Amino acid sequence: MRSAIIVDSTASLPDELKHHPDVYEVTLKIAFKDGEVMDDTTDEVSMKHFYHKMVNVDELPTSSQPEPTDYYKIMDELVAKGYDEVYGVFMSSKLSGTFQTARMIMQEYEDKIKVHLIDTKAVSIIIAHEVKELVRLIESGYTAEQIIPAMNQMIKDSEIFVFVEDLNNLVKGGRVKAASAFIGAVLKIYPVLRFEDDGTVDLYEKIRTIGKIKKSWLKIYEEAREKFGDRLHLGFAHGDAYDKAVAFRDYFLESYPNEEIIIRYLTPVIGVHAGKGSLGMGFLVDADLD
């Protein structure tokens, strides 16, 4: 059984996955009002340009899904190469139409290749970890009948918490429920957001200092470690706030010095909504298959 994976660009794939021969990526885009159009990317120079420009324009750029032709091109290639099945792993369907478009197009090929669609109900490093696990399971010889339930359990077990310095981007983009722009600006409170089980984003708590966020997140992490043990890994994703991510990583390493903690950028499409200076903590849970 020869298997391929299609993932969207918001996943922030590390190079070893981005260049894996069986992993294919569709790319979302960003458009500024002045006409500049950018591919969603993990290139650090391009991301720094994006974040710098975003905070210096009056109107937020808009994000758009991958072009339908991108899916058709990949699916035609997979069929031509003789793949037997393809897994589509995409960002939360509650945050973008990417999953729905992928489903519509990929299912057109079901008479030529078996299609498995996965709504991660997440973004960024969570998706990257799930793709990494999916590759591992496929290469270990597991079948789709075993893999799909394991993936769904990973999705249920994973967690994302995000704090933003300014809610304006999320409010303008309509990506947060029950959130008001004055929370941070007027009350000088950091809003901490959480991805809910259905893939939406909601306000989790309001904290007055970054130090208290660190303590709160460490407590949440400790509880998760008790539940998942060695299956749990930790990562931080940031909106051009590397030093902040390092500070959080180092704080956690004081308690867990042997933990391997990844740090990656939030790609521009996610950065439009989270904003510059945002920081996300992801609980990356391995599949429960040996």
Side-chain angles (χ1 to χ4, degrees), residues 122-153:
V123 295
S124 191
I125 57 176
I126 296 292
I127 305 177
H129 182 73
E130 289 166 358
V131 170
K132 178 182 177 182
E133 282 294 279
L134 178 55
V135 168
R136 179 179 70 84
L137 296 177
I138 291 171
E139 293 180 347
S140 297
Y142 290 100
T143 66
E145 289 72 23
Q146 297 168 300
I147 290 173
I148 296 300
M151 292 291 292
N152 289 334
Q153 187 62 48

PDB file of all heavy atoms in Angstrom, residues 122-153:
ATOM      1  N   ALA A 122      -7.148  22.217  14.587  1.00  0.00           N
ATOM      2  CA  ALA A 122      -6.002  22.924  15.151  1.00  0.00           C
ATOM      3  C   ALA A 122      -5.260  23.651  14.039  1.00  0.00           C
ATOM      4  O   ALA A 122      -5.710  23.701  12.890  1.00  0.00           O
ATOM      5  CB  ALA A 122      -5.077  21.940  15.860  1.00  0.00           C
ATOM      6  N   VAL A 123      -4.106  24.215  14.392  1.00  0.00           N
ATOM      7  CA  VAL A 123      -3.231  24.877  13.435  1.00  0.00           C
ATOM      8  C   VAL A 123      -1.783  24.632  13.857  1.00  0.00           C
ATOM      9  O   VAL A 123      -1.506  24.070  14.910  1.00  0.00           O
ATOM     10  CB  VAL A 123      -3.474  26.411  13.364  1.00  0.00           C
ATOM     11  CG1 VAL A 123      -4.859  26.726  12.825  1.00  0.00           C
ATOM     12  CG2 VAL A 123      -3.266  27.063  14.737  1.00  0.00           C
ATOM     13  N   SER A 124      -0.870  25.059  13.009  1.00  0.00           N
ATOM     14  CA  SER A 124       0.542  25.204  13.346  1.00  0.00           C
ATOM     15  C   SER A 124       1.191  23.907  13.827  1.00  0.00           C
ATOM     16  O   SER A 124       1.052  22.865  13.204  1.00  0.00           O
ATOM     17  CB  SER A 124       0.696  26.335  14.376  1.00  0.00           C
ATOM     18  OG  SER A 124       2.050  26.692  14.549  1.00  0.00           O
ATOM     19  N   ILE A 125       1.948  23.992  14.937  1.00  0.00           N
ATOM     20  CA  ILE A 125       2.786  22.882  15.370  1.00  0.00           C
ATOM     21  C   ILE A 125       1.991  21.633  15.721  1.00  0.00           C
ATOM     22  O   ILE A 125       2.532  20.531  15.677  1.00  0.00           O
ATOM     23  CB  ILE A 125       3.682  23.291  16.559  1.00  0.00           C
ATOM     24  CG1 ILE A 125       2.852  23.809  17.729  1.00  0.00           C
ATOM     25  CG2 ILE A 125       4.720  24.311  16.121  1.00  0.00           C
ATOM     26  CD1 ILE A 125       3.679  24.140  18.973  1.00  0.00           C
ATOM     27  N   ILE A 126       0.722  21.784  16.057  1.00  0.00           N
ATOM     28  CA  ILE A 126      -0.108  20.609  16.317  1.00  0.00           C
ATOM     29  C   ILE A 126      -0.240  19.786  15.039  1.00  0.00           C
ATOM     30  O   ILE A 126      -0.087  18.558  15.039  1.00  0.00           O
ATOM     31  CB  ILE A 126      -1.493  21.012  16.843  1.00  0.00           C
ATOM     32  CG1 ILE A 126      -1.377  21.712  18.204  1.00  0.00           C
ATOM     33  CG2 ILE A 126      -2.405  19.793  16.941  1.00  0.00           C
ATOM     34  CD1 ILE A 126      -0.929  20.835  19.337  1.00  0.00           C
ATOM     35  N   ILE A 127      -0.526  20.473  13.928  1.00  0.00           N
ATOM     36  CA  ILE A 127      -0.661  19.768  12.653  1.00  0.00           C
ATOM     37  C   ILE A 127       0.662  19.122  12.267  1.00  0.00           C
ATOM     38  O   ILE A 127       0.704  17.973  11.818  1.00  0.00           O
ATOM     39  CB  ILE A 127      -1.134  20.716  11.535  1.00  0.00           C
ATOM     40  CG1 ILE A 127      -2.432  21.426  11.927  1.00  0.00           C
ATOM     41  CG2 ILE A 127      -1.342  19.942  10.238  1.00  0.00           C
ATOM     42  CD1 ILE A 127      -2.920  22.425  10.897  1.00  0.00           C
ATOM     43  N   ALA A 128       1.754  19.857  12.423  1.00  0.00           N
ATOM     44  CA  ALA A 128       3.066  19.307  12.068  1.00  0.00           C
ATOM     45  C   ALA A 128       3.349  18.028  12.840  1.00  0.00           C
ATOM     46  O   ALA A 128       3.860  17.048  12.283  1.00  0.00           O
ATOM     47  CB  ALA A 128       4.152  20.348  12.329  1.00  0.00           C
ATOM     48  N   HIS A 129       3.026  18.027  14.127  1.00  0.00           N
ATOM     49  CA  HIS A 129       3.267  16.831  14.934  1.00  0.00           C
ATOM     50  C   HIS A 129       2.373  15.684  14.469  1.00  0.00           C
ATOM     51  O   HIS A 129       2.827  14.520  14.399  1.00  0.00           O
ATOM     52  CB  HIS A 129       3.011  17.122  16.403  1.00  0.00           C
ATOM     53  CG  HIS A 129       3.280  15.942  17.294  1.00  0.00           C
ATOM     54  ND1 HIS A 129       4.549  15.505  17.587  1.00  0.00           N
ATOM     55  CD2 HIS A 129       2.434  15.071  17.923  1.00  0.00           C
ATOM     56  CE1 HIS A 129       4.492  14.449  18.378  1.00  0.00           C
ATOM     57  NE2 HIS A 129       3.218  14.160  18.586  1.00  0.00           N
ATOM     58  N   GLU A 130       1.137  15.977  14.131  1.00  0.00           N
ATOM     59  CA  GLU A 130       0.232  14.923  13.683  1.00  0.00           C
ATOM     60  C   GLU A 130       0.668  14.351  12.335  1.00  0.00           C
ATOM     61  O   GLU A 130       0.523  13.147  12.089  1.00  0.00           O
ATOM     62  CB  GLU A 130      -1.204  15.465  13.646  1.00  0.00           C
ATOM     63  CG  GLU A 130      -1.750  15.676  15.062  1.00  0.00           C
ATOM     64  CD  GLU A 130      -3.012  16.503  15.126  1.00  0.00           C
ATOM     65  OE1 GLU A 130      -3.478  16.971  14.067  1.00  0.00           O
ATOM     66  OE2 GLU A 130      -3.524  16.701  16.246  1.00  0.00           O
ATOM     67  N   VAL A 131       1.217  15.197  11.470  1.00  0.00           N
ATOM     68  CA  VAL A 131       1.768  14.692  10.208  1.00  0.00           C
ATOM     69  C   VAL A 131       2.985  13.808  10.483  1.00  0.00           C
ATOM     70  O   VAL A 131       3.153  12.747   9.858  1.00  0.00           O
ATOM     71  CB  VAL A 131       2.138  15.859   9.264  1.00  0.00           C
ATOM     72  CG1 VAL A 131       2.922  15.356   8.057  1.00  0.00           C
ATOM     73  CG2 VAL A 131       0.885  16.591   8.804  1.00  0.00           C
ATOM     74  N   LYS A 132       3.830  14.235  11.405  1.00  0.00           N
ATOM     75  CA  LYS A 132       4.996  13.428  11.778  1.00  0.00           C
ATOM     76  C   LYS A 132       4.560  12.051  12.274  1.00  0.00           C
ATOM     77  O   LYS A 132       5.137  11.011  11.885  1.00  0.00           O
ATOM     78  CB  LYS A 132       5.795  14.147  12.869  1.00  0.00           C
ATOM     79  CG  LYS A 132       7.011  13.382  13.360  1.00  0.00           C
ATOM     80  CD  LYS A 132       7.725  14.152  14.474  1.00  0.00           C
ATOM     81  CE  LYS A 132       8.912  13.364  15.033  1.00  0.00           C
ATOM     82  NZ  LYS A 132       9.573  14.108  16.138  1.00  0.00           N
ATOM     83  N   GLU A 133       3.557  12.016  13.130  1.00  0.00           N
ATOM     84  CA  GLU A 133       3.038  10.751  13.637  1.00  0.00           C
ATOM     85  C   GLU A 133       2.389   9.931  12.529  1.00  0.00           C
ATOM     86  O   GLU A 133       2.527   8.702  12.481  1.00  0.00           O
ATOM     87  CB  GLU A 133       2.032  11.007  14.760  1.00  0.00           C
ATOM     88  CG  GLU A 133       2.667  11.348  16.096  1.00  0.00           C
ATOM     89  CD  GLU A 133       3.435  10.172  16.656  1.00  0.00           C
ATOM     90  OE1 GLU A 133       2.828   9.264  17.249  1.00  0.00           O
ATOM     91  OE2 GLU A 133       4.672  10.130  16.474  1.00  0.00           O
ATOM     92  N   LEU A 134       1.690  10.583  11.622  1.00  0.00           N
ATOM     93  CA  LEU A 134       1.058   9.888  10.513  1.00  0.00           C
ATOM     94  C   LEU A 134       2.112   9.208   9.639  1.00  0.00           C
ATOM     95  O   LEU A 134       1.945   8.045   9.244  1.00  0.00           O
ATOM     96  CB  LEU A 134       0.224  10.871   9.692  1.00  0.00           C
ATOM     97  CG  LEU A 134      -0.474  10.325   8.444  1.00  0.00           C
ATOM     98  CD1 LEU A 134      -1.357   9.124   8.783  1.00  0.00           C
ATOM     99  CD2 LEU A 134      -1.306  11.427   7.783  1.00  0.00           C
ATOM    100  N   VAL A 135       3.196   9.904   9.348  1.00  0.00           N
ATOM    101  CA  VAL A 135       4.291   9.307   8.578  1.00  0.00           C
ATOM    102  C   VAL A 135       4.832   8.084   9.309  1.00  0.00           C
ATOM    103  O   VAL A 135       5.073   7.024   8.705  1.00  0.00           O
ATOM    104  CB  VAL A 135       5.413  10.336   8.334  1.00  0.00           C
ATOM    105  CG1 VAL A 135       6.663   9.649   7.791  1.00  0.00           C
ATOM    106  CG2 VAL A 135       4.950  11.424   7.371  1.00  0.00           C
ATOM    107  N   ARG A 136       5.020   8.220  10.631  1.00  0.00           N
ATOM    108  CA  ARG A 136       5.552   7.106  11.413  1.00  0.00           C
ATOM    109  C   ARG A 136       4.630   5.894  11.355  1.00  0.00           C
ATOM    110  O   ARG A 136       5.095   4.752  11.179  1.00  0.00           O
ATOM    111  CB  ARG A 136       5.750   7.543  12.874  1.00  0.00           C
ATOM    112  CG  ARG A 136       6.293   6.441  13.780  1.00  0.00           C
ATOM    113  CD  ARG A 136       6.504   6.923  15.205  1.00  0.00           C
ATOM    114  NE  ARG A 136       5.266   7.186  15.917  1.00  0.00           N
ATOM    115  CZ  ARG A 136       4.556   6.242  16.539  1.00  0.00           C
ATOM    116  NH1 ARG A 136       4.945   4.968  16.511  1.00  0.00           N
ATOM    117  NH2 ARG A 136       3.442   6.558  17.185  1.00  0.00           N
ATOM    118  N   LEU A 137       3.342   6.124  11.477  1.00  0.00           N
ATOM    119  CA  LEU A 137       2.392   5.014  11.472  1.00  0.00           C
ATOM    120  C   LEU A 137       2.333   4.338  10.109  1.00  0.00           C
ATOM    121  O   LEU A 137       2.279   3.105  10.013  1.00  0.00           O
ATOM    122  CB  LEU A 137       1.004   5.514  11.885  1.00  0.00           C
ATOM    123  CG  LEU A 137       0.882   6.044  13.312  1.00  0.00           C
ATOM    124  CD1 LEU A 137      -0.523   6.560  13.566  1.00  0.00           C
ATOM    125  CD2 LEU A 137       1.259   4.981  14.331  1.00  0.00           C
ATOM    126  N   ILE A 138       2.326   5.149   9.063  1.00  0.00           N
ATOM    127  CA  ILE A 138       2.310   4.583   7.707  1.00  0.00           C
ATOM    128  C   ILE A 138       3.560   3.743   7.471  1.00  0.00           C
ATOM    129  O   ILE A 138       3.484   2.604   6.979  1.00  0.00           O
ATOM    130  CB  ILE A 138       2.211   5.706   6.657  1.00  0.00           C
ATOM    131  CG1 ILE A 138       0.834   6.376   6.717  1.00  0.00           C
ATOM    132  CG2 ILE A 138       2.468   5.155   5.254  1.00  0.00           C
ATOM    133  CD1 ILE A 138       0.729   7.634   5.874  1.00  0.00           C
ATOM    134  N   GLU A 139       4.724   4.281   7.837  1.00  0.00           N
ATOM    135  CA  GLU A 139       5.983   3.579   7.597  1.00  0.00           C
ATOM    136  C   GLU A 139       6.133   2.353   8.499  1.00  0.00           C
ATOM    137  O   GLU A 139       6.931   1.457   8.198  1.00  0.00           O
ATOM    138  CB  GLU A 139       7.150   4.541   7.779  1.00  0.00           C
ATOM    139  CG  GLU A 139       7.189   5.623   6.708  1.00  0.00           C
ATOM    140  CD  GLU A 139       8.345   6.598   6.864  1.00  0.00           C
ATOM    141  OE1 GLU A 139       8.991   6.594   7.940  1.00  0.00           O
ATOM    142  OE2 GLU A 139       8.597   7.375   5.921  1.00  0.00           O
ATOM    143  N   SER A 140       5.356   2.311   9.584  1.00  0.00           N
ATOM    144  CA  SER A 140       5.382   1.143  10.470  1.00  0.00           C
ATOM    145  C   SER A 140       4.432   0.050   9.999  1.00  0.00           C
ATOM    146  O   SER A 140       4.364  -1.026  10.623  1.00  0.00           O
ATOM    147  CB  SER A 140       5.016   1.559  11.903  1.00  0.00           C
ATOM    148  OG  SER A 140       5.980   2.459  12.424  1.00  0.00           O
ATOM    149  N   GLY A 141       3.693   0.312   8.933  1.00  0.00           N
ATOM    150  CA  GLY A 141       2.839  -0.704   8.352  1.00  0.00           C
ATOM    151  C   GLY A 141       1.411  -0.741   8.836  1.00  0.00           C
ATOM    152  O   GLY A 141       0.653  -1.664   8.508  1.00  0.00           O
ATOM    153  N   TYR A 142       0.999   0.258   9.607  1.00  0.00           N
ATOM    154  CA  TYR A 142      -0.391   0.299  10.053  1.00  0.00           C
ATOM    155  C   TYR A 142      -1.318   0.631   8.888  1.00  0.00           C
ATOM    156  O   TYR A 142      -0.937   1.338   7.946  1.00  0.00           O
ATOM    157  CB  TYR A 142      -0.571   1.335  11.162  1.00  0.00           C
ATOM    158  CG  TYR A 142       0.068   0.937  12.473  1.00  0.00           C
ATOM    159  CD1 TYR A 142       1.298   1.449  12.859  1.00  0.00           C
ATOM    160  CD2 TYR A 142      -0.570   0.032  13.321  1.00  0.00           C
ATOM    161  CE1 TYR A 142       1.894   1.088  14.067  1.00  0.00           C
ATOM    162  CE2 TYR A 142       0.009  -0.346  14.529  1.00  0.00           C
ATOM    163  CZ  TYR A 142       1.242   0.187  14.890  1.00  0.00           C
ATOM    164  OH  TYR A 142       1.817  -0.195  16.067  1.00  0.00           O
ATOM    165  N   THR A 143      -2.545   0.125   8.959  1.00  0.00           N
ATOM    166  CA  THR A 143      -3.544   0.379   7.918  1.00  0.00           C
ATOM    167  C   THR A 143      -4.397   1.588   8.281  1.00  0.00           C
ATOM    168  O   THR A 143      -4.411   2.041   9.437  1.00  0.00           O
ATOM    169  CB  THR A 143      -4.466  -0.836   7.749  1.00  0.00           C
ATOM    170  OG1 THR A 143      -5.233  -1.004   8.955  1.00  0.00           O
ATOM    171  CG2 THR A 143      -3.645  -2.090   7.470  1.00  0.00           C
ATOM    172  N   ALA A 144      -5.131   2.084   7.303  1.00  0.00           N
ATOM    173  CA  ALA A 144      -6.003   3.233   7.540  1.00  0.00           C
ATOM    174  C   ALA A 144      -7.029   2.932   8.626  1.00  0.00           C
ATOM    175  O   ALA A 144      -7.399   3.820   9.408  1.00  0.00           O
ATOM    176  CB  ALA A 144      -6.702   3.634   6.246  1.00  0.00           C
ATOM    177  N   GLU A 145      -7.485   1.689   8.697  1.00  0.00           N
ATOM    178  CA  GLU A 145      -8.469   1.306   9.711  1.00  0.00           C
ATOM    179  C   GLU A 145      -7.907   1.453  11.124  1.00  0.00           C
ATOM    180  O   GLU A 145      -8.668   1.676  12.073  1.00  0.00           O
ATOM    181  CB  GLU A 145      -8.930  -0.135   9.470  1.00  0.00           C
ATOM    182  CG  GLU A 145      -9.816  -0.331   8.256  1.00  0.00           C
ATOM    183  CD  GLU A 145      -9.046  -0.208   6.937  1.00  0.00           C
ATOM    184  OE1 GLU A 145      -7.801  -0.413   6.938  1.00  0.00           O
ATOM    185  OE2 GLU A 145      -9.686   0.089   5.900  1.00  0.00           O
ATOM    186  N   GLN A 146      -6.594   1.337  11.244  1.00  0.00           N
ATOM    187  CA  GLN A 146      -5.941   1.550  12.533  1.00  0.00           C
ATOM    188  C   GLN A 146      -5.521   3.007  12.720  1.00  0.00           C
ATOM    189  O   GLN A 146      -5.584   3.549  13.826  1.00  0.00           O
ATOM    190  CB  GLN A 146      -4.699   0.652  12.635  1.00  0.00           C
ATOM    191  CG  GLN A 146      -4.979  -0.834  12.604  1.00  0.00           C
ATOM    192  CD  GLN A 146      -3.707  -1.649  12.401  1.00  0.00           C
ATOM    193  OE1 GLN A 146      -3.021  -1.493  11.390  1.00  0.00           O
ATOM    194  NE2 GLN A 146      -3.388  -2.494  13.365  1.00  0.00           N
ATOM    195  N   ILE A 147      -5.088   3.627  11.640  1.00  0.00           N
ATOM    196  CA  ILE A 147      -4.521   4.974  11.703  1.00  0.00           C
ATOM    197  C   ILE A 147      -5.581   6.037  11.984  1.00  0.00           C
ATOM    198  O   ILE A 147      -5.366   6.932  12.820  1.00  0.00           O
ATOM    199  CB  ILE A 147      -3.761   5.303  10.403  1.00  0.00           C
ATOM    200  CG1 ILE A 147      -2.481   4.475  10.319  1.00  0.00           C
ATOM    201  CG2 ILE A 147      -3.440   6.796  10.317  1.00  0.00           C
ATOM    202  CD1 ILE A 147      -1.753   4.596   8.993  1.00  0.00           C
ATOM    203  N   ILE A 148      -6.716   5.968  11.309  1.00  0.00           N
ATOM    204  CA  ILE A 148      -7.723   7.031  11.436  1.00  0.00           C
ATOM    205  C   ILE A 148      -8.209   7.171  12.887  1.00  0.00           C
ATOM    206  O   ILE A 148      -8.248   8.286  13.426  1.00  0.00           O
ATOM    207  CB  ILE A 148      -8.903   6.806  10.479  1.00  0.00           C
ATOM    208  CG1 ILE A 148      -8.437   6.889   9.020  1.00  0.00           C
ATOM    209  CG2 ILE A 148      -9.999   7.836  10.737  1.00  0.00           C
ATOM    210  CD1 ILE A 148      -7.822   8.214   8.635  1.00  0.00           C
ATOM    211  N   PRO A 149      -8.574   6.086  13.574  1.00  0.00           N
ATOM    212  CA  PRO A 149      -8.965   6.252  14.988  1.00  0.00           C
ATOM    213  C   PRO A 149      -7.834   6.805  15.845  1.00  0.00           C
ATOM    214  O   PRO A 149      -8.078   7.611  16.758  1.00  0.00           O
ATOM    215  CB  PRO A 149      -9.338   4.828  15.414  1.00  0.00           C
ATOM    216  CG  PRO A 149      -9.674   4.108  14.154  1.00  0.00           C
ATOM    217  CD  PRO A 149      -8.768   4.692  13.117  1.00  0.00           C
ATOM    218  N   ALA A 150      -6.590   6.390  15.564  1.00  0.00           N
ATOM    219  CA  ALA A 150      -5.450   6.908  16.331  1.00  0.00           C
ATOM    220  C   ALA A 150      -5.261   8.397  16.091  1.00  0.00           C
ATOM    221  O   ALA A 150      -4.958   9.156  17.019  1.00  0.00           O
ATOM    222  CB  ALA A 150      -4.175   6.143  15.961  1.00  0.00           C
ATOM    223  N   MET A 151      -5.434   8.829  14.839  1.00  0.00           N
ATOM    224  CA  MET A 151      -5.330  10.255  14.521  1.00  0.00           C
ATOM    225  C   MET A 151      -6.429  11.040  15.230  1.00  0.00           C
ATOM    226  O   MET A 151      -6.178  12.113  15.797  1.00  0.00           O
ATOM    227  CB  MET A 151      -5.430  10.471  13.013  1.00  0.00           C
ATOM    228  CG  MET A 151      -4.258   9.942  12.202  1.00  0.00           C
ATOM    229  SD  MET A 151      -2.724  10.875  12.476  1.00  0.00           S
ATOM    230  CE  MET A 151      -3.155  12.438  11.716  1.00  0.00           C
ATOM    231  N   ASN A 152      -7.638  10.522  15.207  1.00  0.00           N
ATOM    232  CA  ASN A 152      -8.743  11.213  15.867  1.00  0.00           C
ATOM    233  C   ASN A 152      -8.509  11.336  17.370  1.00  0.00           C
ATOM    234  O   ASN A 152      -8.873  12.348  17.983  1.00  0.00           O
ATOM    235  CB  ASN A 152     -10.057  10.487  15.595  1.00  0.00           C
ATOM    236  CG  ASN A 152     -10.526  10.653  14.152  1.00  0.00           C
ATOM    237  OD1 ASN A 152     -10.179  11.636  13.492  1.00  0.00           O
ATOM    238  ND2 ASN A 152     -11.298   9.709  13.658  1.00  0.00           N
ATOM    239  N   GLN A 153      -7.887  10.312  17.960  1.00  0.00           N
ATOM    240  CA  GLN A 153      -7.588  10.381  19.387  1.00  0.00           C
ATOM    241  C   GLN A 153      -6.504  11.411  19.658  1.00  0.00           C
ATOM    242  O   GLN A 153      -6.578  12.165  20.642  1.00  0.00           O
ATOM    243  CB  GLN A 153      -7.150   9.010  19.910  1.00  0.00           C
ATOM    244  CG  GLN A 153      -6.973   8.961  21.417  1.00  0.00           C
ATOM    245  CD  GLN A 153      -8.261   9.240  22.163  1.00  0.00           C
ATOM    246  OE1 GLN A 153      -9.305   8.656  21.848  1.00  0.00           O
ATOM    247  NE2 GLN A 153      -8.216  10.141  23.142  1.00  0.00           N
TER     248      GLN A 153
END
